[in-house]
Amino acid sequence: MQPFAAGSGSEWEELTTLFRGLVQEAAPSGGMLFLLPSREPVLQLSMLYGMSWHIAAPWARIRAEEAIPAAEALRDRRLVWVGTGDQLAMHYPRLALVVPEHAVAAGPILAGDAVRGVVCLLWPPSHPARLARGEREAIDTFCHRAGLLLRSAAERGHPVMPGSRPQVLEPVRPPPPGTAEAMAAYDFAARLPGAMSLDLEGRTTFVSHAAADLLGVDAADLLGVRPWEHLKWPGEPTFEDRFRASVISHRPAHFTVVRPPDRRLSLRLYPDASGVSVHLTPLPSEPSREPERPVRASAAPGGATTLYHLMHLAATLTETVGVDDVTERVADQLVPAFGASGLVLMTVEEGRLRVVGHRGYDPAFLAPFDGESLTSDAPPARALTRQQPAFFADFGEFRAAHPDAVRYRDRDAWAFLPLAIRGRPVGLLVLSYNRAQRFLPPERNVLVSVAGLVAQALDRARLYDAKQRLAHALQRDLLPRDLPEVPGLRVTARYLSAGHGMDIGGDFYDLIRCDATSAAAVIGDVQGHNVQAAALMGQLRTAVHAHAAAGTSPGELMARTNRLMCDLNPGLFASCLYVHLDLAQHRAALATAGHPPPLLRRPDGGTEILPVPTGLLLGITRDADYATMDIPLPPGTTLALYTDGLVEAPGTDIDDAIAELARQLARSCTDDIDALTDALLRHALRGIPRTDDIAMLLMRTTR
């Protein structure tokens, strides 16, 4: 499989040579080259250096609007430099979870006014906080030459395009050793207690016989496989965890494992851009000592279990909606991932902190902090106003910084993590522990990164909740607050939201008192669940109300309303059913525009589905006609109007559902019209998922 979809091989080779020259000159620990196809604003990973595809896979495609240095370089057309782990964790939390504490440079590949791609380089934590002049010049030179190359290829009709997977560049190696030198290197490895070599994917490329003996396997069985997958020692995920951490951080690692039943081994890992060297040594058994306490899953980037836990949190936070949802997801993931005993999530509202969720706390203890001013000297307010995380290893350290601090039970360590987006305070995340906690720099960086993810999710959730409140308020204002009292008529109505989108539906109903002996009822459904549908619903309801008050006949009222909707040209359609009630003559006149038929229950209990002549939906054509149907309406007659949400459900025939609803109405023997309405709703909603709003209007004539 070629790594490019179009363009000549020589052009790809030239681009590869340029990229290889960049990593040689700038000496990063890792590098990624992204190309930008003209057909979509998405950066696609095309070349990799110093890291495995497995680690880089989350960044295979980067959208232009994402909060990541490569996307920012694309948007702003400038070099983006992140010099410290703190800056990375604060501003780019998703990236910091994968490559914590690294320095990052991202430069746009420009050719004239067009952006052709982005190059991103990473250096380990030992890199200075400032980008060296030579490194900057190397990046600028590469971006200029690569831009000219990509533009030239495109102009010749052979654009260089990324393939389905990036090309992984082999590290630059010194000249191969001679036979004597190679044998000396082999002898050196053989004399060690145990030596292994793994590639960046964790596969074994070399294992000495001494190392194989220590691991209790045959050397040939380990070649080409990942040791932890072949060994499968129960209760030992440490090897894989530490390998990934070492590859990501480019730092040596040391840990101890126990080969069943009781053989203790020391393993030291030494990574570089080509892979990881492993040095194994046996350790004496310790029968007299208590077994070592298992190390908890650390927030430091050493634990793959924790890393995956946090990446799962990042994924689940993208699916959260309201603040309550965010609180539950954060508490469910962070408390076990960090071994915390308690969690508090707070938001900022009008200069005060508000507790929106907690885990492991008594609500009475948190009550005094709810509504605390940001001008307070209390730890939460101070951490947020300074926008600096605060870590306290034990209560003595906490009390030294805050003499008035109140301790909750036996809590002995705290992390106060400000939640901010581009300097704008969103809230505060507080983690507490029942034991002392050292909060080493890697763990602090991961915690700050997590806080960045939570801040983004919380900000989205607050916006969603605000939209929900707006939606409910708009829905209340568009529907009648109270139905008028009409002599000779008992009426009740219900409205149930489907609970999706912004919760603004297009279903509407109304009861209009025309004069002392007549009234009108209308029910309808505008296509869609958005602000446009709700606004159109309000216009239609107002138009129907005006025509009804003027005494317009049902067919003519429907025709005029249809012409109004065509003139508005909203690009939407609506169904509508209108009923004029003559309570003195005990008759009704009906007209419909594609709306589900009403149900009528006579005083003797007989029930029918009224076959009202169906006209076109409102808004289809301006010249539509609507016929009128007249029916008797003696005292004791019940008329049920409803929208299609009551009778439509996946896998259900709507005609069968309407017929069953009519049978349910016929079986009813209650004189309480409210109880009857609720019974019909319960029948229709019995265990069937609904995807649409429901409106109901029931009327019963009286003497």
Side-chain angles (χ1 to χ4, degrees):
M1 179 183 63
Q2 290 181 320
F4 49 89
S8 70
S10 62
E11 290 160 337
W12 184 266
E13 289 175 2
E14 188 175 349
L15 184 62
T16 303
T17 300
L18 289 175
F19 186 51
R20 189 183 298 278
L22 170 64
V23 297
Q24 282 182 304
E25 191 169 351
S29 58
M32 294 177 282
L33 175 62
F34 298 89
L35 295 181
L36 182 66
S38 58
R39 62 181 179 271
E40 56 178 337
V42 177
L43 291 169
Q44 296 189 29
L45 184 57
S46 304
M47 290 188 193
L48 264 178
Y49 170 80
M51 65 181 71
S52 70
W53 162 241
H54 181 72
I55 291 175
W59 318 112
R61 290 169 56 86
I62 299 176
R63 299 189 308 275
E65 67 273 12
E66 291 192 55
I68 191 170
E72 191 169 322
L74 170 65
R75 293 193 304 269
D76 298 345
R77 301 188 176 201
R78 64 174 179 84
L79 180 72
V80 175
W81 168 249
V82 187
T84 67
D86 289 344
Q87 293 174 356
L88 190 67
M90 182 69 71
H91 300 294
Y92 308 101
R94 286 180 56 209
L95 180 61
L97 286 176
V98 179
V99 286
E101 300 186 80
H102 278 58
V104 180
I109 300 172
L110 300 173
D113 294 332
V115 181
R116 303 285 178 172
V118 171
V119 65
C120 186
L121 303 181
L122 299 92
W123 288 269
S126 57
H127 189 280
R130 301 177 69 89
L131 186 64
R133 181 177 178 179
E135 294 166 342
R136 174 67 183 258
E137 291 176 350
I139 295 172
D140 290 343
T141 301
F142 168 81
C143 290
H144 175 69
R145 292 178 177 175
L148 294 177
L149 171 65
L150 295 172
R151 181 175 65 179
S152 175
E155 290 174 348
R156 293 197 303 271
H158 301 288
V160 179
M161 301 292 289
S164 58
R165 289 185 62 167
Q167 176 182 346
V168 180
L169 269 64
E170 291 293 328
V172 178
R173 300 178 182 274
T179 303
E181 191 178 1
M183 286 304 300
Y186 179 83
D187 291 340
F188 170 79
R191 284 192 292 268
L192 294 173
M196 295 176 63
S197 180
L198 310 177
D199 65 15
L200 293 176
E201 296 287 349
R203 295 182 292 258
T204 305
T205 56
F206 168 81
V207 57
S208 68
H209 291 291
D213 290 341
L214 289 174
L215 296 174
V217 295
D218 188 85
D221 293 337
L222 280 181
L223 291 176
V225 301
R226 297 176 177 88
W228 49 87
E229 293 178 353
H230 182 75
L231 299 172
K232 297 180 180 178
W233 294 340
E236 283 293 350
T238 312
F239 199 160
E240 180 183 7
D241 287 3
R242 298 305 175 91
F243 168 81
R244 293 183 186 278
S246 186
V247 169
I248 292 172
S249 66
H250 285 266
R251 286 178 168 177
H254 171 248
F255 59 99
T256 301
V257 297
V258 178
R259 192 192 96 190
D262 57 2
R263 185 69 183 273
R264 299 176 67 245
L265 302 174
S266 168
L267 282 78
R268 296 183 181 273
L269 310 184
Y270 301 93
D272 69 2
S274 64
V276 177
S277 297
V278 184
H279 181 205
L280 296 86
T281 54
L283 295 176
S285 58
E286 298 178 334
S288 60
R289 293 181 56 182
E290 294 183 3
E292 294 183 5
R293 291 181 58 191
V295 179
R296 73 173 179 87
S298 173
T305 302
T306 298
L307 181 60
Y308 293 148
H309 209 145
L310 297 178
M311 292 305 290
H312 177 66
L313 172 64
T316 57
L317 285 179
T318 63
E319 303 171 358
T320 55
V321 283
V323 171
D324 291 343
D325 196 13
V326 171
T327 301
E328 288 300 312
R329 301 289 182 94
V330 169
D332 289 344
Q333 296 291 334
L334 291 193
V335 169
F338 290 99
S341 306
L343 174 146
V344 181
L345 187 62
M346 311 176 86
T347 60
V348 178
E349 295 180 14
E350 299 179 349
R352 294 185 178 276
L353 284 168
R354 298 291 181 185
V355 177
V356 295
H358 57 87
R359 184 70 58 85
Y361 277 94
D362 185 341
F365 175 82
L366 298 176
F369 300 97
D370 191 21
E372 188 172 55
S373 172
L374 291 181
T375 61
S376 166
D377 286 333
R382 185 181 298 183
L384 187 57
T385 53
R386 293 181 177 180
Q387 291 200 20
Q388 290 291 332
F391 300 94
F392 302 100
D394 54 42
F395 186 65
E397 187 176 314
F398 193 23
R399 177 61 65 86
H402 301 278
D404 297 329
V406 179
R407 188 175 190 175
Y408 181 73
R409 297 181 179 173
D410 55 353
R411 298 293 158 84
D412 203 28
W414 291 263
F416 293 86
L417 305 169
L419 307 179
I421 298 178
R422 298 186 183 276
R424 175 173 56 87
V426 174
L428 187 74
L429 175 64
V430 183
L431 293 174
S432 59
Y433 302 78
N434 283 343
R435 62 185 182 280
Q437 190 85 356
R438 287 195 296 165
F439 296 115
L440 297 175
E443 185 168 3
R444 295 188 181 202
N445 287 334
V446 172
L447 284 169
V448 173
S449 300
V450 168
L453 294 176
V454 175
Q456 295 168 6
L458 188 60
D459 197 47
R460 290 194 304 268
R462 294 175 65 188
L463 179 60
Y464 177 87
D465 285 345
K467 288 182 177 180
Q468 289 293 92
R469 290 191 295 270
L470 173 63
H472 289 298
L474 182 59
Q475 196 81 66
R476 285 195 310 269
D477 291 342
L478 290 175
L479 294 174
R481 292 178 179 269
D482 298 298
L483 298 176
E485 292 186 6
V486 178
L489 193 66
R490 293 164 57 193
V491 185
T492 189
R494 298 287 187 275
Y495 180 88
L496 276 72
S497 169
H500 56 76
M502 274 189 61
D503 274 356
I504 302 180
D507 292 23
F508 67 96
Y509 62 86
D510 203 357
L511 181 69
I512 305 142
R513 184 169 180 177
C514 300
D515 55 37
T517 60
S518 66
V522 63
I523 194 165
D525 184 2
V526 178
Q527 172 192 12
H529 291 84
N530 49 40
V531 174
Q532 184 185 12
L536 183 59
M537 176 261 280
Q539 291 173 306
L540 292 184
R541 180 173 162 239
T542 300
V544 170
H545 200 290
H547 290 311
T552 307
S553 65
E556 180 61 21
L557 179 146
M558 204 67 71
R560 293 182 182 182
T561 305
N562 174 63
R563 288 195 291 272
L564 170 66
M565 187 162 175
C566 290
D567 291 341
L568 293 173
N569 191 25
L572 301 174
F573 305 120
S575 68
C576 187
L577 173 66
Y578 177 78
V579 184
H580 182 266
L581 306 156
D582 186 340
L583 300 172
Q585 299 299 320
H586 303 295
R587 300 196 65 79
L590 303 87
T592 182
H595 200 79
L599 307 180
L600 182 139
R601 185 177 188 272
R602 294 183 292 274
D604 62 2
T607 303
E608 64 176 308
I609 302 170
L610 291 178
V612 184
T614 303
L616 290 174
L617 292 169
L618 301 178
I620 293 181
T621 176
R622 203 171 188 279
D623 301 326
D625 292 324
Y626 299 90
T628 299
M629 175 183 182
D630 290 304
I631 60 170
L633 206 66
T637 300
T638 300
L639 194 61
L641 316 183
Y642 53 93
T643 55
D644 57 7
L646 187 69
V647 289
E648 279 189 339
T652 302
D653 183 82
I654 189 170
D655 293 331
D656 293 342
I658 293 174
E660 179 58 31
L661 188 67
R663 287 190 288 270
Q664 182 67 20
L665 179 61
R667 289 192 290 266
S668 173
C669 57
T670 179
D671 291 330
D672 186 339
I673 193 170
D674 282 294
L676 172 60
T677 304
D678 292 336
L680 293 178
L681 276 174
R682 285 194 301 272
H683 168 77
L685 298 175
R686 61 193 189 287
I688 300 177
R690 297 292 172 179
T691 58
D692 200 359
D693 301 335
I694 296 174
M696 288 187 69
L697 185 65
L698 261 67
M699 300 172 286
R700 178 174 292 165
T701 56
T702 61
R703 295 188 181 277

